[in-house]
Amino acid sequence: MVCAIYPASSADNAAASPEDYLMAANTVATSPVMAMAPTAAAVNTSSLGITALSQRSTPEQKLLSALDTFMQGDVESAMSTVRSLVDEKPNFRLAHLVHGDMLASLAGEPLSLSAESGIPRDAVDGFIAEARQRVKRAGFEPGSRLPSALLQFSPEQEYGIVVDLSRSRLYLFGNDNGQPRLVNDYYVSGGKRGAGKEVKGDKKTPIGVYFVTSRLPGEKLPDRYGAMAFPVDYPNDWDLRRGRTGDGIWLHGVTAATYSRPPLDSDGCVAMSNDDLSSIADLLEAGVTPVVISESLDWVSPEEVQTRRNSLEQALEQWRADWQSGDTERYLAHYAADFTGRGMTRDGWVNYKRQVNENKQFIRITMSDVSMFEYPNVDDMAVVTFDQRYESDRFVSNSRKRQYWQLKQGRWRIVSESAI
């Protein structure tokens, strides 16, 4: 074998045949390199945007450009691009494997997928899975569509993160007057056992709406966390309500020994290359930046996002108006039968609010810095966060509040509420 590169830790992925090496779609080739991109019979590579990548310069784009060039028969250019990439990123192990397989395919030597290569099966599987996810990105362009979760950024949220674990992809969105605007996207790794964290130590990545809580510099961390780490607030209120346990879920880098990791390779965190994480690090703010982690994103039109946002906005405004009206029963009707908040069930909340609202001459409620995010993998639920100013003839307070709203029988109702 020309080149045998082993991953830092093997991924929990099923073995792939040569035909399934990358796209699991009608690939006809005996070489893994040939299988790294679909044939013309399977799909037009230019429609995947791979050809256009030759004009771009990230390591991932260089790798895909080399593969596309190789598929088109320009072996010399492909080899030159991969050699340049390996020189630029000597720890990019997938690039080393592709380079080795290109050389092997030309020399007629055993390739990485063959039994004669001598590479352990689990080592190769991790590379195959990573390559598949990277090329999958080249075949997907959202265009004007947006993740349905991004209903509204607050003015202070300049950027937000959305993770699609099924694609091993992190999307960075900017705030364009409250509306999300796609800035860039990056390859990431998730938990060894996939998505849907339930208990401590299950090695799964949680699904939900989270927020960055702090920034941890790399020099204070073990090498496996890379250049830095950004913890998020797992478990959130919804996780606790569902009895989920565990902690220490971070967005972090990778060990200096490797450029990237297989798609399913962390203990539950989201890991990305040190270069990519460093490029967005200054955009992430503790207590502000949202991190939406989804098993699979639902991409919808901006008009659909607007419709969903308007529906929730109307419910939020009606809640505010009913509270301010002094009609306690109308205000309480916004809370679901299974509501919990501040350690109280709905019955306790009802008794508490009836007492504090009694004999108030006036109540004035103002809200600002409102953000809204649909909760992934939970039907018709959203997380709303805002700054609240409460004024009455007896009391004045300023607080930051987070509510979980769920559409029940055609009406939005609050299932959880807390001060943060």
Side-chain angles (χ1 to χ4, degrees), residues 31-92:
S31 164
V33 172
M34 296 296 288
M36 290 286 284
T39 63
V43 66
N44 185 333
T45 55
S46 64
S47 70
L48 291 178
I50 294 177
T51 303
L53 293 174
S54 62
Q55 307 302 318
R56 301 162 73 182
S57 60
T58 71
E60 178 179 72
Q61 291 157 351
K62 286 182 178 179
L63 179 66
L64 296 180
S65 174
L67 292 169
D68 185 53
T69 303
F70 191 88
M71 289 293 296
Q72 295 179 35
D74 190 348
V75 178
E76 183 176 345
S77 294
M79 292 290 291
S80 175
T81 300
V82 174
R83 280 195 298 267
S84 173
L85 175 57
V86 169
D87 289 341
E88 176 189 348
K89 298 294 178 185
N91 61 349
F92 196 173

Side-chain angles (χ1 to χ4, degrees), residues 22 131 148 252 260 265 303 395 401 416:
L22 185 58
S148 61
H252 63 74
S260 57
D265 200 54
E303 293 76 18
F395 186 67
K401 185 168 285 186
S416 179

Side-chain angles (χ1 to χ4, degrees), residues 308 374-375 378-382 405-408 412:
R308 299 184 187 199
E374 282 192 352
Y375 209 91
V378 180
D379 290 340
D380 298 320
M381 192 170 82
W405 290 72
Q406 194 163 20
L407 197 61
K408 293 175 176 284
W412 285 103

Side-chain angles (χ1 to χ4, degrees), residues 265-277:
D265 200 54
S266 80
D267 288 336
C269 296
V270 176
M272 60 193 301
S273 80
N274 292 321
D275 289 351
D276 289 343
L277 183 56

Side-chain angles (χ1 to χ4, degrees), residues 41 101 115 127 308 332:
D101 272 356
F127 291 120
R308 299 184 187 199
L332 290 171

Side-chain angles (χ1 to χ4, degrees), residues 228-308:
M228 65 196 73
F230 293 88
V232 300
D233 61 340
Y234 173 88
N236 61 27
D237 286 349
W238 183 254
D239 294 318
L240 293 172
R241 178 187 174 107
R242 305 298 294 178
R244 294 171 183 148
T245 60
D247 55 19
I249 299 300
W250 298 354
L251 170 64
H252 63 74
V254 298
T255 176
T258 188
Y259 178 76
S260 57
R261 295 165 63 173
L264 304 177
D265 200 54
S266 80
D267 288 336
C269 296
V270 176
M272 60 193 301
S273 80
N274 292 321
D275 289 351
D276 289 343
L277 183 56
S278 296
S279 73
I280 67 173
D282 290 342
L283 309 179
L284 310 183
E285 298 182 62
V288 176
T289 304
V291 179
V292 180
I293 306 177
S294 176
E295 189 167 8
S296 180
L297 289 178
D298 179 22
W299 293 84
V300 300
S301 69
E303 293 76 18
E304 177 65 18
V305 171
Q306 180 71 50
T307 298
R308 299 184 187 199

Side-chain angles (χ1 to χ4, degrees), residues 41-359:
V43 66
N44 185 333
T45 55
S46 64
S47 70
L48 291 178
I50 294 177
T51 303
L53 293 174
S54 62
Q55 307 302 318
R56 301 162 73 182
S57 60
T58 71
E60 178 179 72
Q61 291 157 351
K62 286 182 178 179
L63 179 66
L64 296 180
S65 174
L67 292 169
D68 185 53
T69 303
F70 191 88
M71 289 293 296
Q72 295 179 35
D74 190 348
V75 178
E76 183 176 345
S77 294
M79 292 290 291
S80 175
T81 300
V82 174
R83 280 195 298 267
S84 173
L85 175 57
V86 169
D87 289 341
E88 176 189 348
K89 298 294 178 185
N91 61 349
F92 196 173
R93 299 179 179 199
L94 176 59
H96 276 281
L97 187 70
V98 170
H99 183 228
D101 272 356
M102 283 185 177
L103 290 172
S105 67
L106 295 176
E109 296 189 17
L111 304 171
S112 60
L113 282 178
S114 67
E116 293 80 11
S117 71
I119 301 181
R121 194 61 249 178
D122 59 352
V124 178
D125 287 346
F127 291 120
I128 294 171
E130 179 182 348
R132 183 185 296 117
Q133 293 296 71
R134 289 185 182 277
V135 170
K136 186 187 291 185
R137 162 61 186 92
F140 174 73
E141 288 295 340
S144 63
R145 292 178 296 165
L146 299 169
S148 61
L150 299 183
L151 297 183
Q152 179 175 297
F153 285 128
S154 74
E156 67 175 355
Q157 291 168 333
E158 295 185 22
Y159 294 91
I161 284 173
V162 182
V163 177
D164 186 334
L165 293 172
S166 71
R167 293 182 177 273
S168 302
R169 214 72 198 174
L170 180 151
Y171 298 89
L172 176 69
F173 283 86
N175 182 349
D176 188 0
N177 294 319
Q179 313 306 310
R181 172 181 51 83
L182 182 59
V183 176
N184 212 336
D185 59 273
Y186 310 88
Y187 170 83
V188 295
S189 302
K192 290 182 176 71
R193 296 189 59 203
K197 186 172 188 63
E198 293 291 338
V199 297
K200 181 178 179 66
D202 64 8
K203 301 187 184 303
K204 293 183 178 182
T205 302
I207 300 300
V209 176
Y210 303 101
F211 296 85
V212 171
T213 60
S214 62
R215 174 173 175 165
L216 306 177
E219 56 268 23
K220 295 185 178 181
L221 299 171
D223 177 62
R224 67 179 179 273
Y225 297 116
M228 65 196 73
F230 293 88
V232 300
D233 61 340
Y234 173 88
N236 61 27
D237 286 349
W238 183 254
D239 294 318
L240 293 172
R241 178 187 174 107
R242 305 298 294 178
R244 294 171 183 148
T245 60
D247 55 19
I249 299 300
W250 298 354
L251 170 64
H252 63 74
V254 298
T255 176
T258 188
Y259 178 76
S260 57
R261 295 165 63 173
L264 304 177
D265 200 54
S266 80
D267 288 336
C269 296
V270 176
M272 60 193 301
S273 80
N274 292 321
D275 289 351
D276 289 343
L277 183 56
S278 296
S279 73
I280 67 173
D282 290 342
L283 309 179
L284 310 183
E285 298 182 62
V288 176
T289 304
V291 179
V292 180
I293 306 177
S294 176
E295 189 167 8
S296 180
L297 289 178
D298 179 22
W299 293 84
V300 300
S301 69
E303 293 76 18
E304 177 65 18
V305 171
Q306 180 71 50
T307 298
R308 299 184 187 199
R309 179 171 59 249
N310 289 346
S311 173
L312 187 55
E313 275 183 339
Q314 291 169 8
L316 181 65
E317 170 54 26
Q318 192 61 55
W319 167 82
R320 186 204 66 81
D322 287 344
W323 189 6
Q324 185 169 273
S325 74
D327 188 331
T328 301
E329 300 311 309
R330 224 164 66 202
Y331 158 75
L332 290 171
H334 292 276
Y335 291 85
D338 58 348
F339 168 83
T340 59
R342 301 188 193 179
M344 292 177 274
T345 63
R346 189 182 191 280
D347 287 344
W349 184 258
V350 166
N351 292 334
Y352 167 68
K353 283 297 182 179
R354 283 173 177 167
Q355 290 174 11
V356 299
N357 287 351
E358 189 176 11
N359 298 323

